[in-house]
PDB file of all heavy atoms in Angstrom:
ATOM      1  N   GLN A 171     125.838  98.207  79.271  1.00  0.00           N
ATOM      2  CA  GLN A 171     126.130  99.438  79.985  1.00  0.00           C
ATOM      3  C   GLN A 171     124.957  99.866  80.874  1.00  0.00           C
ATOM      4  O   GLN A 171     125.151 100.561  81.863  1.00  0.00           O
ATOM      5  CB  GLN A 171     126.458 100.554  79.004  1.00  0.00           C
ATOM      6  CG  GLN A 171     126.910 101.845  79.645  1.00  0.00           C
ATOM      7  CD  GLN A 171     128.122 101.653  80.543  1.00  0.00           C
ATOM      8  OE1 GLN A 171     129.215 101.395  80.078  1.00  0.00           O
ATOM      9  NE2 GLN A 171     127.916 101.755  81.856  1.00  0.00           N
ATOM     10  N   PHE A 172     123.772  99.406  80.553  1.00  0.00           N
ATOM     11  CA  PHE A 172     122.585  99.771  81.326  1.00  0.00           C
ATOM     12  C   PHE A 172     122.342  98.754  82.446  1.00  0.00           C
ATOM     13  O   PHE A 172     123.073  97.774  82.603  1.00  0.00           O
ATOM     14  CB  PHE A 172     121.361  99.886  80.413  1.00  0.00           C
ATOM     15  CG  PHE A 172     121.114  98.664  79.566  1.00  0.00           C
ATOM     16  CD1 PHE A 172     120.338  97.609  80.017  1.00  0.00           C
ATOM     17  CD2 PHE A 172     121.671  98.568  78.291  1.00  0.00           C
ATOM     18  CE1 PHE A 172     120.114  96.485  79.245  1.00  0.00           C
ATOM     19  CE2 PHE A 172     121.454  97.452  77.494  1.00  0.00           C
ATOM     20  CZ  PHE A 172     120.680  96.409  77.979  1.00  0.00           C
ATOM     21  N   HIS A 173     121.279  98.996  83.213  1.00  0.00           N
ATOM     22  CA  HIS A 173     120.953  98.128  84.347  1.00  0.00           C
ATOM     23  C   HIS A 173     119.690  97.320  84.044  1.00  0.00           C
ATOM     24  O   HIS A 173     118.573  97.815  84.221  1.00  0.00           O
ATOM     25  CB  HIS A 173     120.751  98.965  85.615  1.00  0.00           C
ATOM     26  CG  HIS A 173     122.022  99.532  86.163  1.00  0.00           C
ATOM     27  ND1 HIS A 173     122.842  98.832  87.017  1.00  0.00           N
ATOM     28  CD2 HIS A 173     122.621 100.721  85.945  1.00  0.00           C
ATOM     29  CE1 HIS A 173     123.887  99.575  87.327  1.00  0.00           C
ATOM     30  NE2 HIS A 173     123.785 100.727  86.681  1.00  0.00           N
ATOM     31  N   PRO A 174     119.837  96.067  83.616  1.00  0.00           N
ATOM     32  CA  PRO A 174     118.659  95.251  83.294  1.00  0.00           C
ATOM     33  C   PRO A 174     117.886  94.807  84.531  1.00  0.00           C
ATOM     34  O   PRO A 174     116.749  94.356  84.419  1.00  0.00           O
ATOM     35  CB  PRO A 174     119.261  94.046  82.560  1.00  0.00           C
ATOM     36  CG  PRO A 174     120.641  93.916  83.124  1.00  0.00           C
ATOM     37  CD  PRO A 174     121.099  95.326  83.373  1.00  0.00           C
ATOM     38  N   GLU A 175     118.506  94.937  85.722  1.00  0.00           N
ATOM     39  CA  GLU A 175     117.879  94.420  86.948  1.00  0.00           C
ATOM     40  C   GLU A 175     116.827  95.352  87.532  1.00  0.00           C
ATOM     41  O   GLU A 175     116.017  94.930  88.375  1.00  0.00           O
ATOM     42  CB  GLU A 175     118.950  94.120  88.006  1.00  0.00           C
ATOM     43  CG  GLU A 175     119.643  95.332  88.616  1.00  0.00           C
ATOM     44  CD  GLU A 175     120.828  95.849  87.806  1.00  0.00           C
ATOM     45  OE1 GLU A 175     120.907  95.530  86.601  1.00  0.00           O
ATOM     46  OE2 GLU A 175     121.661  96.572  88.376  1.00  0.00           O
ATOM     47  N   VAL A 176     116.808  96.629  87.122  1.00  0.00           N
ATOM     48  CA  VAL A 176     115.882  97.584  87.734  1.00  0.00           C
ATOM     49  C   VAL A 176     114.568  97.623  86.959  1.00  0.00           C
ATOM     50  O   VAL A 176     114.514  97.287  85.770  1.00  0.00           O
ATOM     51  CB  VAL A 176     116.503  99.003  87.807  1.00  0.00           C
ATOM     52  CG1 VAL A 176     117.804  98.976  88.593  1.00  0.00           C
ATOM     53  CG2 VAL A 176     116.728  99.577  86.411  1.00  0.00           C
ATOM     54  N   VAL A 177     113.512  98.060  87.639  1.00  0.00           N
ATOM     55  CA  VAL A 177     112.189  98.081  87.006  1.00  0.00           C
ATOM     56  C   VAL A 177     112.123  99.084  85.864  1.00  0.00           C
ATOM     57  O   VAL A 177     111.246  98.988  85.001  1.00  0.00           O
ATOM     58  CB  VAL A 177     111.087  98.410  88.040  1.00  0.00           C
ATOM     59  CG1 VAL A 177     110.980  97.313  89.077  1.00  0.00           C
ATOM     60  CG2 VAL A 177     111.348  99.754  88.711  1.00  0.00           C
ATOM     61  N   HIS A 178     113.053 100.052  85.841  1.00  0.00           N
ATOM     62  CA  HIS A 178     113.066 101.052  84.776  1.00  0.00           C
ATOM     63  C   HIS A 178     113.531 100.467  83.444  1.00  0.00           C
ATOM     64  O   HIS A 178     113.459 101.136  82.416  1.00  0.00           O
ATOM     65  CB  HIS A 178     113.971 102.219  85.163  1.00  0.00           C
ATOM     66  CG  HIS A 178     113.626 102.820  86.498  1.00  0.00           C
ATOM     67  ND1 HIS A 178     112.401 103.356  86.764  1.00  0.00           N
ATOM     68  CD2 HIS A 178     114.341 102.941  87.639  1.00  0.00           C
ATOM     69  CE1 HIS A 178     112.373 103.802  88.013  1.00  0.00           C
ATOM     70  NE2 HIS A 178     113.536 103.556  88.558  1.00  0.00           N
ATOM     71  N   SER A 179     114.048  99.225  83.472  1.00  0.00           N
ATOM     72  CA  SER A 179     114.377  98.498  82.240  1.00  0.00           C
ATOM     73  C   SER A 179     113.346  97.378  82.100  1.00  0.00           C
ATOM     74  O   SER A 179     113.572  96.256  82.555  1.00  0.00           O
ATOM     75  CB  SER A 179     115.792  97.914  82.292  1.00  0.00           C
ATOM     76  OG  SER A 179     116.769  98.916  82.421  1.00  0.00           O
ATOM     77  N   PRO A 180     112.184  97.654  81.503  1.00  0.00           N
ATOM     78  CA  PRO A 180     111.059  96.704  81.529  1.00  0.00           C
ATOM     79  C   PRO A 180     111.372  95.333  80.950  1.00  0.00           C
ATOM     80  O   PRO A 180     110.790  94.335  81.376  1.00  0.00           O
ATOM     81  CB  PRO A 180     109.973  97.418  80.706  1.00  0.00           C
ATOM     82  CG  PRO A 180     110.329  98.866  80.763  1.00  0.00           C
ATOM     83  CD  PRO A 180     111.823  98.905  80.816  1.00  0.00           C
ATOM     84  N   GLU A 181     112.281  95.273  79.969  1.00  0.00           N
ATOM     85  CA  GLU A 181     112.613  93.983  79.368  1.00  0.00           C
ATOM     86  C   GLU A 181     113.925  93.429  79.912  1.00  0.00           C
ATOM     87  O   GLU A 181     114.466  92.472  79.362  1.00  0.00           O
ATOM     88  CB  GLU A 181     112.676  94.128  77.847  1.00  0.00           C
ATOM     89  CG  GLU A 181     111.326  94.453  77.217  1.00  0.00           C
ATOM     90  CD  GLU A 181     111.367  94.468  75.701  1.00  0.00           C
ATOM     91  OE1 GLU A 181     112.235  95.159  75.132  1.00  0.00           O
ATOM     92  OE2 GLU A 181     110.537  93.784  75.089  1.00  0.00           O
ATOM     93  N   GLY A 182     114.402  94.019  81.016  1.00  0.00           N
ATOM     94  CA  GLY A 182     115.650  93.542  81.606  1.00  0.00           C
ATOM     95  C   GLY A 182     115.573  92.119  82.110  1.00  0.00           C
ATOM     96  O   GLY A 182     116.549  91.353  82.019  1.00  0.00           O
ATOM     97  N   SER A 183     114.406  91.722  82.635  1.00  0.00           N
ATOM     98  CA  SER A 183     114.258  90.351  83.129  1.00  0.00           C
ATOM     99  C   SER A 183     114.397  89.338  81.996  1.00  0.00           C
ATOM    100  O   SER A 183     114.951  88.250  82.179  1.00  0.00           O
ATOM    101  CB  SER A 183     112.904  90.178  83.820  1.00  0.00           C
ATOM    102  OG  SER A 183     112.858  90.913  85.019  1.00  0.00           O
ATOM    103  N   ARG A 184     113.905  89.710  80.811  1.00  0.00           N
ATOM    104  CA  ARG A 184     114.045  88.815  79.656  1.00  0.00           C
ATOM    105  C   ARG A 184     115.522  88.669  79.274  1.00  0.00           C
ATOM    106  O   ARG A 184     115.999  87.566  78.971  1.00  0.00           O
ATOM    107  CB  ARG A 184     113.245  89.353  78.466  1.00  0.00           C
ATOM    108  CG  ARG A 184     113.299  88.458  77.225  1.00  0.00           C
ATOM    109  CD  ARG A 184     112.603  89.119  76.051  1.00  0.00           C
ATOM    110  NE  ARG A 184     111.181  89.229  76.275  1.00  0.00           N
ATOM    111  CZ  ARG A 184     110.290  88.305  75.890  1.00  0.00           C
ATOM    112  NH1 ARG A 184     110.699  87.205  75.278  1.00  0.00           N
ATOM    113  NH2 ARG A 184     109.011  88.494  76.109  1.00  0.00           N
ATOM    114  N   LEU A 185     116.262  89.779  79.313  1.00  0.00           N
ATOM    115  CA  LEU A 185     117.687  89.721  79.004  1.00  0.00           C
ATOM    116  C   LEU A 185     118.424  88.827  80.004  1.00  0.00           C
ATOM    117  O   LEU A 185     119.245  87.985  79.616  1.00  0.00           O
ATOM    118  CB  LEU A 185     118.279  91.132  78.998  1.00  0.00           C
ATOM    119  CG  LEU A 185     119.764  91.274  78.632  1.00  0.00           C
ATOM    120  CD1 LEU A 185     119.993  92.614  77.930  1.00  0.00           C
ATOM    121  CD2 LEU A 185     120.675  91.185  79.844  1.00  0.00           C
ATOM    122  N   LEU A 186     118.132  88.998  81.297  1.00  0.00           N
ATOM    123  CA  LEU A 186     118.778  88.170  82.312  1.00  0.00           C
ATOM    124  C   LEU A 186     118.386  86.704  82.152  1.00  0.00           C
ATOM    125  O   LEU A 186     119.215  85.810  82.357  1.00  0.00           O
ATOM    126  CB  LEU A 186     118.415  88.679  83.704  1.00  0.00           C
ATOM    127  CG  LEU A 186     119.039  90.016  84.105  1.00  0.00           C
ATOM    128  CD1 LEU A 186     118.434  90.536  85.392  1.00  0.00           C
ATOM    129  CD2 LEU A 186     120.559  89.884  84.245  1.00  0.00           C
ATOM    130  N   ALA A 187     117.128  86.462  81.795  1.00  0.00           N
ATOM    131  CA  ALA A 187     116.698  85.082  81.552  1.00  0.00           C
ATOM    132  C   ALA A 187     117.459  84.477  80.379  1.00  0.00           C
ATOM    133  O   ALA A 187     117.839  83.295  80.404  1.00  0.00           O
ATOM    134  CB  ALA A 187     115.191  85.037  81.299  1.00  0.00           C
ATOM    135  N   ASN A 188     117.691  85.283  79.331  1.00  0.00           N
ATOM    136  CA  ASN A 188     118.472  84.785  78.192  1.00  0.00           C
ATOM    137  C   ASN A 188     119.871  84.375  78.633  1.00  0.00           C
ATOM    138  O   ASN A 188     120.394  83.340  78.200  1.00  0.00           O
ATOM    139  CB  ASN A 188     118.569  85.868  77.111  1.00  0.00           C
ATOM    140  CG  ASN A 188     117.264  86.098  76.384  1.00  0.00           C
ATOM    141  OD1 ASN A 188     116.370  85.250  76.387  1.00  0.00           O
ATOM    142  ND2 ASN A 188     117.132  87.263  75.764  1.00  0.00           N
ATOM    143  N   PHE A 189     120.472  85.187  79.492  1.00  0.00           N
ATOM    144  CA  PHE A 189     121.818  84.851  79.956  1.00  0.00           C
ATOM    145  C   PHE A 189     121.792  83.616  80.850  1.00  0.00           C
ATOM    146  O   PHE A 189     122.563  82.671  80.647  1.00  0.00           O
ATOM    147  CB  PHE A 189     122.429  86.023  80.717  1.00  0.00           C
ATOM    148  CG  PHE A 189     123.786  85.726  81.288  1.00  0.00           C
ATOM    149  CD1 PHE A 189     124.898  85.599  80.460  1.00  0.00           C
ATOM    150  CD2 PHE A 189     123.960  85.539  82.653  1.00  0.00           C
ATOM    151  CE1 PHE A 189     126.154  85.295  80.976  1.00  0.00           C
ATOM    152  CE2 PHE A 189     125.208  85.237  83.184  1.00  0.00           C
ATOM    153  CZ  PHE A 189     126.303  85.120  82.345  1.00  0.00           C
TER     154      PHE A 189
END
Side-chain angles (χ1 to χ4, degrees):
Q171 186 57 70
F172 53 89
H173 288 274
E175 70 275 20
V176 302
V177 295
H178 306 301
S179 298
E181 294 185 308
S183 292
R184 182 186 293 268
L185 182 149
L186 289 170
N188 288 340
F189 177 71

